[in-house]
């Protein structure tokens, strides 16, 4: 087994690219596994420029070691072997975004927004430390098994050692994130699409700041469909030009539920109450505008029922009043007048025998 700087034992290759090879290695001092990057001179670079390149790589790694952010890979050590820098970082268990997309296809819009927000937060933290990214790619984003989103592959030199042509321009960094999200999201037509346009500098307001872009990405990731009060329509209207690859999720989760082209706030309005018997079917395509499904006519039925109830009540009152009037038998049940004599010798008020009524 090869041991680097008398401490790191190389185990196997994790990744390999034009700028170097990343090894899984065992730290002999701590007993923990780490990711160890072996720097490589890019093809075509003159040999006499290699020392300057290695010096910039080492300075960049040491600057990145000062960054403490959950979305930035943590640098543990920088050592030299054969005149080349070897950078030891934390070993993140998981897959790269490139591997995730290859295995399972694009991400749902809300998940893509979450990844984008965490990536942007990491890029901003590294930039503040003087280590801008040279263009984030799916291979540079690790999706940890613990849910972390970790950015790797930072530039080889601190910001003061590079110019805009090297990708140090903040706007170029945001554009690279826009391209990353455009490749990662399965729905680019809703609110997330508006953010992508802004990152690419193609939104109605032109370029966007990193701070606002991160806020909007977190809003979309949380299911928001409107720009908060005081915001502008660049992110909130959900409209963007068709890039030929936009398509719906099919599960209603499009950027928090908003439909492409929906009016601002429509998705947040409470749905009208529907009874169990109402038809929920949508109008057929091509139906004339203004034709709406009408609910069953319940008002006439209700009025008829009330009228019937009033008629019955009136009849009962009428009979009660009639039966309680003059001539009602004093003992007749229900107030019904008796037609039977009270007894065989019953007399009237004047002593004359009472005559039965016919």
């Amino acid at each position: 087994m090869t041991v680097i700087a008398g401490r790191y034992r190389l185990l196997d290759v994790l990744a390999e690219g034009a700028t170097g090879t990343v090894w899984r290695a065992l730290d002999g001092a701590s007993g923990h596994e780490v990711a160890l990057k072996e720097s490589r001179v890019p093809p075509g670079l003159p040999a006499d420029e290699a020392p300057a390149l290695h010096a910039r790589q080492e300075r960049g790694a040491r600057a990145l070691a000062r960054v403490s952010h959950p979305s930035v890979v943590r640098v543990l050590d920088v050592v030299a072997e054969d005149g080349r820098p070897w950078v030891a970082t934390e070993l993140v268990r998981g897959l790269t975004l490139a591997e995730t997309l290859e295995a399972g296809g694009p991400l749902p819009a809300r998940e893509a927004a979450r990844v984008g927000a965490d990536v942007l937060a990491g890029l901003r933290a590294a930039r503040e430390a003087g280590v801008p990214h040279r263009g984030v790619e799916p291979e540079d984003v690790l999706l940890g098994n613990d849910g972390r989103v970790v950015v790797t592959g930072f530039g080889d030199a601190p910001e003061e050692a590079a110019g805009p042509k090297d990708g140090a321009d903040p706007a170029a960094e945001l554009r690279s994130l826009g391209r990353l999200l455009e490749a990662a999201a399965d729905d680019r037509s809703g609110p997330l699409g508006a953010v992508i346009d802004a990152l690419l500098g193609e939104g109605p307001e032109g370029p966007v700041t990193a701070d606002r872009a991160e806020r909007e990405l977190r809003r979309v990731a949380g299911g928001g469909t409107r720009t908060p009060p005081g915001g502008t329509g660049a992110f909130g209207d959900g409209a963007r030009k068709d890039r030929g690859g936009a398509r719906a999720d099919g599960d209603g989760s499009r950027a928090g539920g908003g439909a492409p082209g929906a009016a601002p706030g429509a998705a947040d309005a409470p749905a009208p109450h529907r009874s169990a018997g109402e038809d929920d079917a949508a109008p057929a395509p091509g139906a004339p505008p203004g034709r709406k499904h009408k609910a069953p006519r319940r008002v006439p039925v209700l009025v008829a029922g009330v009228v019937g109830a009033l008629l019955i009540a009136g009849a009962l009152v009428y009979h009660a009043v009639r039966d309680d009037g003059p001539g009602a038998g004093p003992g007749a049940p229900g107030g019904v007048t008796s037609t039977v004599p009270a007894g065989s010798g019953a007399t009237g008020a004047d002593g004359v025998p009472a005559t039965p009524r016919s």
Side-chain angles (χ1 to χ4, degrees):
M1 290 287 182
T2 303
V3 177
I4 302 300
R7 176 173 176 175
Y8 299 102
R9 179 175 297 173
L10 303 184
L11 301 178
D12 51 49
V13 174
L14 295 175
E16 193 165 6
T19 60
T21 302
V22 180
W23 297 81
R24 183 173 66 91
L26 179 65
D27 183 353
S30 67
H32 296 154
E33 290 187 354
V34 300
L36 190 65
K37 181 175 181 179
E38 171 190 4
S39 298
R40 178 180 302 157
V41 176
L45 184 71
D48 60 349
E49 295 184 14
L53 171 64
H54 293 325
R56 289 197 303 270
Q57 291 171 336
E58 183 174 349
R59 288 197 303 270
R62 294 192 185 280
L64 189 61
R66 298 193 297 267
V67 179
S68 178
H69 192 281
S71 292
V72 176
V73 65
R74 187 160 51 97
V75 175
L76 305 174
D77 193 12
V78 181
V79 298
E81 184 81 10
D82 298 331
R84 295 176 297 162
W86 293 65
V87 182
T89 67
E90 63 175 321
L91 182 62
V92 179
R93 308 283 182 179
L95 298 175
T96 67
L97 178 59
E99 293 168 335
T100 300
L101 297 177
E102 182 178 359
L107 304 177
R110 290 178 61 176
E111 175 64 8
R114 183 188 75 88
V115 171
D118 286 352
V119 168
L120 182 50
L123 294 176
R124 295 177 66 190
R127 172 170 288 280
E128 291 175 1
V131 189
H133 209 287
R134 297 295 179 258
V136 64
E137 300 286 346
E139 294 80 6
D140 300 326
V141 179
L142 296 174
L143 305 181
N145 295 338
D146 59 357
R148 283 178 65 199
V149 177
V150 183
V151 183
T152 66
F154 284 89
D156 297 331
E159 185 173 5
E160 63 267 19
K165 64 184 179 60
D166 299 314
D169 179 16
E173 203 169 69
L174 293 179
R175 286 194 296 270
S176 73
L177 176 61
R179 290 189 294 269
L180 177 110
L181 289 175
E182 199 166 40
D186 68 349
D187 173 26
R188 303 179 292 277
S189 59
L192 177 59
V195 183
I196 293 175
D197 277 349
L199 288 169
L200 295 174
E202 300 174 358
E205 295 181 349
V208 65
T209 64
D211 179 68
R212 187 181 179 197
E214 183 179 345
R215 289 200 313 269
E216 292 296 327
L217 286 170
R218 296 205 184 279
R219 177 184 59 80
V220 174
T225 56
R226 291 187 302 175
T227 298
T232 61
F235 298 105
D237 57 11
R240 75 186 298 255
K241 61 179 70 68
D242 184 11
R243 294 183 175 275
R247 59 183 183 280
D249 290 350
D251 59 359
S253 64
R254 178 185 298 122
D268 290 344
H273 174 74
R274 293 176 181 267
S275 301
E278 290 188 43
D279 184 11
D280 291 332
R291 179 178 298 175
K292 299 182 179 178
H293 176 73
K294 296 183 179 180
R297 297 181 178 273
R298 295 188 178 87
V299 174
V301 176
L302 180 60
V303 172
V306 172
V307 172
L310 292 174
L311 291 175
I312 294 173
L316 292 175
V317 172
Y318 169 77
H319 283 290
V321 172
R322 186 196 68 178
D323 293 342
D324 287 343
V336 179
T337 303
S338 174
T339 57
V340 180
S344 57
T347 60
D350 56 0
V352 179
T355 303
R357 299 176 186 180
S358 59

